[in-house]
Amino acid sequence: MAMSNVGRPTAPAANGRNVSGNSGGFASLTGGRGLLQDEPLIFEEGGWDKTGVDLPEASADAADLGDLVRTAPIGLPGLSEPEAVRHYVRLSQKNHAIDLALYPLGSCTMKHNPRLNEKMARLPGFADLHPLQPVSTTQGALALMDRLAHWLKVLTGMPAVALTPKAGAHGELCGLLTIKAAHEAKGQGHRRTVLVPTSAHGTNPATAAFVGYDVAEIAQTDDGRVDLADLEAKLSGDIAAIMVTNPNTCGLFERDILEISRLTHAAGAYFYCDGANFNAIVGRVKPGDLGVDAMHINLHKTFSTPHGGGGPGAGPVVLSEALAPFAPVPWIVSGPQGLRLIEEPAGEAAQAFGRMCAFQGQMGMFVRALAYMLSHGADGLRQVAEDAVLNANYIKARLSTAMTPAFPQGPCMHEALFDDAWLEGTGVTTLDLAKALIDEGFHPMTMYFPLVVHGAMLIEPTETEPKRELDRFCDAMLALAEAAKSRDAERFKGAPHLAPMRRLDETLAARKPKLTWRPGDTTVAPAPLAAE
Ligand SMILES: *Cc1c(COP(=O)(O)O)cnc(C)c1O
């Protein structure tokens, strides 16, 4: 590090930014970046002997606890209120958010969440409910869930829906458990295998394995679709289900979807559709018309509602006539006393396979999703899909001038997929490019997924980005592409130069995650900036 540079940044360009995109060899003395302070863990910050509130000494009544009485200090960090507030606000400022900028993650569908949704979800009549309240006091909430279920059934053309799953992956689990129960009821419980295309999201094979099925792969055609001949060859009396995403994770509509479902049903298997990409076809295509038996809907993707950082999400599963009787409890029915919940897998729910969670699901997400549906209306939801596809194709067209689209033939659906053929010989990789994008103020696209495309870059703008923002993103991408092609590999290898953290060892972090802090542990200090 060139110490002489400290406090004396190299001359900025006319727009106030470093011309070369690097930090000019400047590092702050504290690890801070502009007004963003370096932030240790709360455990490193708080003293054990301090507390932010005055509490009377507890007269520990050990009588009920026996030998479970704590003998050592509890080890909570002691911070004053302003210290605690600052800690969390500083952390929140390190978090990228859709409210800050375009969030082009393909497959994740990061779209703007209208504030109206938040206002509705915070209505005390919804937000302050307790799941164990008597149903006579929760009629409004049940009516909302019933209305949401109605919309989901109409939009998908499916007769039943299980609302409780709490994420897409949880919905997959619900769908496969339903399928398993249906097979067992038909004396087909011996079917052991689930077919999954090579481009599938990792949750598909993981879910099938979790339910106890073997997983076999269906090959993909050169134009990124399910290989029908391979599917046909692999369908047999051993196949319980196929799991197909449509549009698929290459951002392409499965043209042969009707034939896929016909072949599947002819083999006595069920068609599970991964509905994470429903936002590309909502209002235009009803999965029920395609022969789908079960499909989860990520409310937190298709119907806005924020997600990330582990939640919250909601993954209701729509079901065909054949699978509906096996849906998990609880479900809502109406009777003389109004709406009520069927809670036990008995009587009219005798075939239900069980339940997915303790109570009724993610109420806050139900409110947000219904608010989104009602504010858009049926025509508005159709336009959501059309604009999402239009935006993705705009990006595909602009970036194809410098980058190589993975499937150049024809338009894409809601996400544009590129491979890394165009980077060949530059010394720059997909990862380098993504890191360099951070220096330009953009969150990277999804990288290296789907696995079937070499060095994949999957970009999903969603319908909520205006053309101006799409152009800013494309301009940044094209400028980086030019830098990569003009053999400025150094700039890429060191990126991100301007983020609080430089390049991290992501493999180590994934393989050996450090999930527990112990006294004496220290967090990684930001590496000093190299003098370039
Ligand atoms: C997001 C996603 C999932 C999993 O959904 P979660 O809500 O994150 O559990 C499954 N399949 C595809 C294609 C996805 O994009």
Side-chain angles (χ1 to χ4, degrees):
M1 181 166 64
M3 287 305 289
S4 61
N5 260 353
V6 169
R8 196 158 49 78
T10 48
N15 63 4
R17 295 163 59 208
N18 289 316
V19 192
S20 62
N22 68 26
S23 58
F26 172 79
S28 75
L29 298 168
T30 58
R33 293 270 169 153
L35 290 178
L36 289 180
Q37 292 198 12
D38 186 29
E39 189 64 10
L41 292 180
I42 197 165
F43 295 99
E44 294 167 292
E45 209 168 7
W48 308 110
D49 49 343
K50 284 198 299 178
T51 167
V53 278
D54 282 334
L55 295 173
E57 257 331 294
S59 55
D61 182 357
D64 294 344
L65 295 173
D67 55 4
L68 295 177
V69 174
R70 175 179 293 285
T71 52
I74 192 166
L76 292 178
L79 274 78
S80 67
E81 180 171 317
E83 285 175 313
V85 168
R86 281 182 182 161
H87 175 74
Y88 288 108
V89 171
R90 282 180 194 148
L91 287 186
S92 75
Q93 289 178 329
K94 294 191 197 304
N95 234 349
H96 189 68
I98 189 69
D99 291 346
L100 284 169
L102 170 81
Y103 211 139
L105 282 180
S107 209
C108 293
T109 311
M110 306 298 287
K111 63 164 79 169
H112 171 66
N113 176 51
R115 288 301 173 273
L116 178 66
N117 296 356
E118 296 306 306
K119 200 169 168 189
M120 296 301 109
R122 280 166 179 67
L123 289 173
F126 296 128
D128 297 345
L129 285 179
H130 192 283
L132 292 176
Q133 262 175 252
V135 290
S136 62
T137 67
T138 60
Q139 288 293 304
L142 293 180
L144 180 136
M145 289 162 66
D146 200 41
R147 176 80 81 91
L148 174 68
H150 172 77
W151 271 80
L152 293 175
K153 289 187 283 189
V154 169
L155 287 168
T156 56
M158 306 277 279
V161 60
L163 285 181
T164 50
K166 295 193 173 189
H170 206 210
E172 292 171 31
L173 179 62
C174 174
L176 286 200
L177 288 172
T178 311
I179 286 172
K180 193 164 185 239
H183 275 312
E184 280 165 6
K186 286 194 298 187
Q188 292 287 309
H190 55 272
R191 289 176 181 256
R192 293 222 36 81
T193 305
V194 168
L195 293 178
V196 176
T198 43
S199 66
H201 194 269
T203 50
N204 294 183
T207 301
F210 191 69
V211 174
Y213 287 118
D214 296 330
V215 179
E217 283 202 347
I218 318 169
Q220 175 172 306
T221 57
D222 288 343
D223 71 349
R225 271 89 171 182
V226 166
D227 184 330
L228 270 189
D230 193 54
L231 171 67
E232 203 164 357
K234 285 178 180 154
L235 280 167
S236 71
D238 183 50
I239 306 299
I242 60 163
M243 297 180 89
V244 171
T245 313
N246 193 29
N248 67 25
T249 55
C250 296
L252 302 169
F253 193 83
E254 290 288 354
R255 243 181 273 113
D256 299 319
I257 194 80
L258 291 173
E259 188 60 5
I260 291 172
S261 72
R262 194 189 65 76
L263 291 170
T264 302
H265 291 144
Y270 290 107
F271 179 5
Y272 185 90
C273 182
D274 179 328
N277 294 339
F278 190 44
N279 62 312
I281 55 173
V282 62
R284 292 193 60 114
V285 179
K286 292 187 172 189
D289 295 342
L290 306 179
V292 168
D293 292 297
M295 182 180 95
H296 73 261
I297 301 162
N298 305 60
L299 295 186
H300 50 284
K301 293 180 180 174
T302 299
F303 299 111
S304 75
T305 77
H307 68 113
V317 178
V318 287
L319 297 165
S320 64
E321 212 70 69
L323 293 182
F326 306 96
V329 289
W331 65 66
I332 298 170
V333 290
S334 81
Q337 264 90 54
L339 298 168
R340 65 189 173 89
L341 287 163
I342 306 277
E343 293 269 17
E344 298 300 326
E348 54 197 305
Q351 289 185 290
F353 74 74
R355 57 164 62 234
M356 292 301 294
C357 59
F359 299 114
Q360 292 85 357
Q362 302 276 50
M363 190 63 200
M365 303 308 269
F366 298 160
V367 180
R368 290 175 175 95
L370 187 65
Y372 183 81
M373 291 171 177
L374 293 177
S375 54
H376 279 76
D379 56 334
L381 289 177
R382 184 187 170 95
Q383 195 184 338
V384 160
E386 288 168 355
D387 289 353
V389 172
L390 181 64
N391 277 359
N393 278 285
Y394 183 74
I395 286 185
K396 182 179 179 187
R398 273 208 69 190
L399 297 190
S400 291
T401 56
M403 297 163 56
T404 42
F407 301 102
Q409 293 308 315
C412 59
M413 294 296 287
H414 61 303
E415 48 198 359
L417 178 59
F418 297 87
D419 61 26
D420 62 356
W422 64 282
L423 284 172
E424 211 182 312
T426 60
V428 175
T429 64
T430 293
L431 180 71
D432 297 334
L433 188 83
K435 297 296 182 190
L437 203 50
I438 295 175
D439 284 335
E440 304 304 326
F442 287 100
H443 191 285
M445 70 304 260
T446 291
M447 325 172 267
Y448 300 107
F449 176 81
L451 304 175
V452 285
V453 168
H454 199 269
M457 301 166 216
L458 184 61
I459 303 171
E460 176 173 4
T462 82
E463 79 285 358
T464 56
E465 294 303 334
K467 179 167 178 297
R468 204 161 70 122
E469 187 66 13
L470 298 181
D471 279 329
R472 279 193 347 109
F473 174 74
C474 290
D475 290 346
M477 286 293 286
L478 292 173
L480 285 174
E482 185 152 327
K485 287 176 181 173
S486 60
R487 308 207 165 266
D488 191 3
E490 272 321 298
R491 164 206 184 127
F492 289 90
K493 290 294 162 209
H497 299 273
L498 304 174
M501 293 286 169
R502 302 292 299 276
R503 194 78 68 102
L504 302 175
D505 188 342
E506 288 166 11
T507 313
L508 185 70
R511 296 243 162 97
K512 294 188 178 169
K514 199 165 178 181
L515 302 175
T516 321
W517 181 88
R518 291 194 183 75
D521 285 359
T522 49
T523 43
V524 190
L529 299 171
E532 269 102 350

